[in-house]
Amino acid sequence: MKCVSIAIDGPAGAGKSTLARKTARELGFLYVDTGAIYRTVALKVLRAGADPSEESQVIPLLKGLDISMDYGPDGEQQMFLEGEDVSKAIREHQISGLASKVSAIPAVRDFLLEFQRTQAREHNVVMDGRDIGTVVLPQADVKIFLTAAPESRARRRLLELEGRGQKTDFETVLRDIVQRDEQDRNRPIAPLRQAEDAVLLDTTRLNLEESLAAMLSLIKEKIHL
């Protein structure tokens, strides 16, 4: 029986991970946070003292790189780097920008592409990222492009970071989000863009519950769950 795949793309801070996780739980699907996978590579690069923008420094680190993914009793995705659970470490604020730079390297994307596609072949998945509907799962059953105004995304990200005990301010987070948008839209490999057959969902004026309801409605219209 063919597995069902739902692709959710969008810019940084749009709430992709939160909504994708809740959507997967509602549908009984597996949630795959591809951003966490790239963040894990970025953490490896950081620990190695390499420049995430330099292919010549990053590519050698891919040889024998041990990355794995598992799920806790609560269904939360856990990332492991060389056997170490780095699920919390990859959420440090500095990792976000590093992940964007690392993900622009073709060799990194090639290295992780099959890893991601395997999950969709073997499970019903809700997968979120920046090029899921355009590159990773171009044949996904449902494609949603999730977005919100930069200021709205910055406020949400600030609350998220403060909830983890990370000290920062609104202006810094907003600046980082705008910069991340620019990097993701203009990178030469798999730039951030809405797939032609994706449905746009703008959550600027929606709270979490309203956003989740809208997303579930779109999905059920498409695959008649």
Side-chain angles (χ1 to χ4, degrees), residues 38-213:
Y38 281 97
R39 283 170 174 266
T40 303
V41 176
L43 180 62
K44 172 65 177 181
V45 171
L46 176 66
R47 288 180 172 180
D51 184 339
S53 302
E54 290 293 330
E55 292 188 35
S56 61
Q57 295 185 36
V58 174
I59 292 176
L61 298 176
L62 300 177
K63 186 176 182 180
L65 181 59
D66 178 15
I67 288 180
S68 59
M69 188 172 72
D70 202 354
Y71 293 84
D74 55 359
E76 291 294 306
Q77 179 175 314
Q78 300 170 318
M79 293 304 305
F80 293 83
L81 175 61
E82 294 161 352
E84 175 192 352
D85 185 347
V86 294
S87 304
K88 290 184 178 179
I90 62 173
R91 297 300 173 183
E92 292 292 328
H93 186 54
Q94 63 176 327
I95 297 296
S96 181
L98 297 180
S100 182
K101 293 178 181 179
V102 165
S103 66
I105 298 175
V108 173
R109 305 198 71 82
D110 290 343
F111 178 79
L112 296 177
L113 187 58
E114 186 56 26
F115 181 86
Q116 296 169 77
R117 286 178 173 169
T118 297
Q119 307 306 313
R121 280 196 296 268
E122 298 178 352
H123 310 276
N124 292 328
V125 299
V126 176
M127 190 177 296
D128 77 299
R130 285 169 176 73
D131 65 345
I132 308 305
T134 54
V135 177
V136 181
L137 301 177
Q139 304 302 320
D141 298 280
V142 183
K143 299 179 185 179
I144 296 173
F145 192 84
L146 184 70
T147 191
E151 293 78 10
S152 177
R153 289 186 277 135
R155 283 192 292 271
R156 294 171 186 172
R157 179 57 63 84
L158 180 62
L159 288 173
E160 178 186 340
L161 292 171
E162 288 176 343
R164 296 191 188 123
Q166 297 182 38
K167 300 291 185 180
T168 186
D169 58 78
F170 176 79
E171 288 73 20
T172 298
V173 176
L174 178 59
R175 183 175 62 250
D176 288 349
I177 278 181
V178 171
Q179 181 179 18
R180 180 77 185 267
D181 286 352
E182 188 72 11
Q183 288 176 349
D184 290 344
R185 280 195 301 262
N186 294 296
R187 66 190 186 195
I189 303 297
L192 172 67
R193 64 180 177 83
Q194 182 178 341
E196 290 184 3
D197 53 347
V199 179
L200 178 67
L201 177 56
D202 189 323
T203 65
T204 300
R205 300 182 182 279
L206 303 179
N207 62 28
L208 179 58
E209 291 73 21
E210 292 168 336
S211 299
L212 178 60

